């Protein structure tokens, strides 16, 4: 037929080939990264908007890849989830964060840890958390697990039960990136969380009157459910002032501090959290 002669696919795309190779190499390196001790956690403070005091820190993962340099979790977490490495890496994150937080001078500070929905597909998550708490001596009330709406999209009763188990252990759960996922509001009924994290897309939006309205609405949801709210990605004095005026409980962002290496946390606490 007419035109068929042109309908040919390019089977060898050198770009595609290079990308496939690069992915293969990253995957290879990722499987070895934990054993080679290439992961570190950095910590970003969370502060009260009312008096500026530190209430805790969020632990954020960094892959210090010797050849390619530091790699962002946004880049390698999806791959780790895909190849199943997330279970081992995620367990290391929980354990390390508990041990590091147990050493902080102020025994009231919380540590927030990001846990992937994939980790909740495995029953081990409960043992991993309870062993980390027991071995580090960190009080369960000081550990906060940050999950995204993605954790509820499976609508799996097992996943929900695991969240409740953590809740019964005294671990708190924060809803990360609130309002950016695809879950419906009805999930808020069944799910034991005690904090809402307002995503930086709302905080940083150019259309400030609309985003102010959205932040106020999120805050109203939080207030009526009896949970606290924290705004993330606060970078400028104006954003901070707006967040405080709206009545958000806490803030996190470059305006307060960038994430810092674990070894700087003690010093930061002694300077900004005196007794
Ligand atoms: P997230 O949980 O929403 O974390 C907040 C991200 O915003 C972090 O990026 C943080 O460094 C960055 N950030 C903090 N303050 C500001 C600010 O004022 N402005 C801007 N523009 N950004 C700010 P990071 O560390 O690159 O992490 C990216 C994402 O990777 C995280 O988003 C989280 O979803 C994921 N992630 C990080 N650590 C872990 C981990 O240990 N496990 C899992 N499963 N995911 C992690
Ligand atoms: Ca987070
Ligand atoms: Ca977030
Ligand atoms: Ca995010």
């Amino acid at each position: 037929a007419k035109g068929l002669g042109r309908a040919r696919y390019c089977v060898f795309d050198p770009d595609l080939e290079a990308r496939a190779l690069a992915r293969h190499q990253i995957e290879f390196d990722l499987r070895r990264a934990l054993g080679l001790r290439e992961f570190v956690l950095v910590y970003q403070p969370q502060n009260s908007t009312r008096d500026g005091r530190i209430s805790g820190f969020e632990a954020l993962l960094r892959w210090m890849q010797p050849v390619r340099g530091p790699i962002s979790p946004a880049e390698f977490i999806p791959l780790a989830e895909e190849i199943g490495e997330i279970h081992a890496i995620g367990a290391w994150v929980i354990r390390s964060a508990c041990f590091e937080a147990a050493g902080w001078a102020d025994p009231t500070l919380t540590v927030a840890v990001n846990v992937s929905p994939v980790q909740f597909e495995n029953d081990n998550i409960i043992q991993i958390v309870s062993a980390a708490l027991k071995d580090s001596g960190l009080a369960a009330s000081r550990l906060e697990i940050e999950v995204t709406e993605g954790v509820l999209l499976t609508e799996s009763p097992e996943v929900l039960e695991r969240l409740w188990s953590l809740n019964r252990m005294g671990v708190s759960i924060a809803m990360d990136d609130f309002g950016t996922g695809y879950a419906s509001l009805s999930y808020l009924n069944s799910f034991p969380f005690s904090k809402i994290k307002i995503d930086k897309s709302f905080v940083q939006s150019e259309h400030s009157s609309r985003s102010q309205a959205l932040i106020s609405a999120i805050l109203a949801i939080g207030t009526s459910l009896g949970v606290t709210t924290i705004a993330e990605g606060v970078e400028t004095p104006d954003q901070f002032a707006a967040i405080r005026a709206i009545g958000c409980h806490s803030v996190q962002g470059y305006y307060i501090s960038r994430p810092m290496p674990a070894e700087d946390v003690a010093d930061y606490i002694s300077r900004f959290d005196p007794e």
Side-chain angles (χ1 to χ4, degrees), residues 17-254:
E17 170 103 342
R19 263 180 287 147
L21 260 173
R23 193 205 121 107
H24 211 78
Q25 184 64 49
I26 293 179
E27 185 179 321
F28 180 89
D29 291 340
L30 189 55
R31 289 188 194 279
R32 280 153 191 79
L34 202 55
L36 294 171
R37 300 170 172 275
E38 291 173 355
F39 290 115
V40 295
L41 293 176
V42 293
Y43 291 90
Q44 187 176 38
Q46 302 179 323
N47 295 56
S48 155
T49 41
R50 207 170 330 134
D51 57 16
R53 292 182 71 98
I54 313 168
S55 55
F57 292 82
E58 178 177 3
L60 295 158
L61 187 58
R62 295 289 177 267
W63 180 11
M64 310 307 257
Q65 216 286 324
V67 179
R68 285 182 293 273
I71 304 178
S72 158
E75 226 171 297
F76 68 82
I77 292 285
L79 180 59
E81 291 173 339
E82 204 181 307
I83 66 175
E85 275 301 297
I86 191 68
H87 296 287
I89 297 170
W92 177 88
V93 167
I94 292 167
R95 228 182 141 72
S96 304
C98 287
F99 272 87
E100 286 176 341
W104 296 342
D106 180 343
T108 67
L109 297 177
T110 56
V111 65
V113 176
N114 294 282
V115 175
S116 155
V118 176
Q119 291 173 263
F120 277 96
E121 288 168 14
N122 194 320
D123 200 35
N124 280 344
I125 186 70
I126 306 303
Q127 281 83 46
I128 288 163
V129 171
S130 59
L133 292 171
K134 183 164 170 282
D135 296 347
S136 66
L138 188 79
S141 58
R142 294 183 57 197
L143 178 63
E144 187 170 84
I145 300 245
E146 295 195 1
V147 297
T148 56
E149 293 169 37
V151 81
L152 296 161
L153 286 180
T154 58
E155 292 182 37
S156 140
E158 287 84 9
V159 167
L160 200 58
E161 175 47 33
R162 285 167 199 147
L163 290 161
W164 278 100
S165 294
L166 292 176
N167 176 261
R168 285 192 298 268
M169 283 165 57
V171 172
S172 53
I173 296 173
M175 186 81 248
D176 206 351
D177 303 343
F178 185 85
T180 65
Y182 297 99
S184 72
L185 284 180
S186 65
Y187 72 82
L188 296 175
N189 271 326
S190 49
F191 164 57
F193 65 104
S194 56
K195 187 188 268 187
I196 287 174
K197 296 195 81 173
I198 300 177
D199 190 66
K200 52 176 169 278
S201 58
F202 298 109
V203 175
Q204 299 176 348
S205 171
E206 305 289 305
H207 316 283
S208 67
S209 67
R210 285 183 80 90
S211 56
Q212 306 281 58
L214 284 168
I215 294 172
S216 298
I218 295 172
L219 204 73
I221 293 176
T223 304
S224 57
L225 292 171
V227 305
T228 59
T229 47
I230 179 166
E232 64 180 356
V234 175
E235 291 182 356
T236 67
D238 286 355
Q239 288 166 358
F240 179 74
I243 286 303
R244 182 154 67 175
I246 286 174
C248 241
H249 300 93
S250 349
V251 282
Q252 186 182 341
Y254 299 165

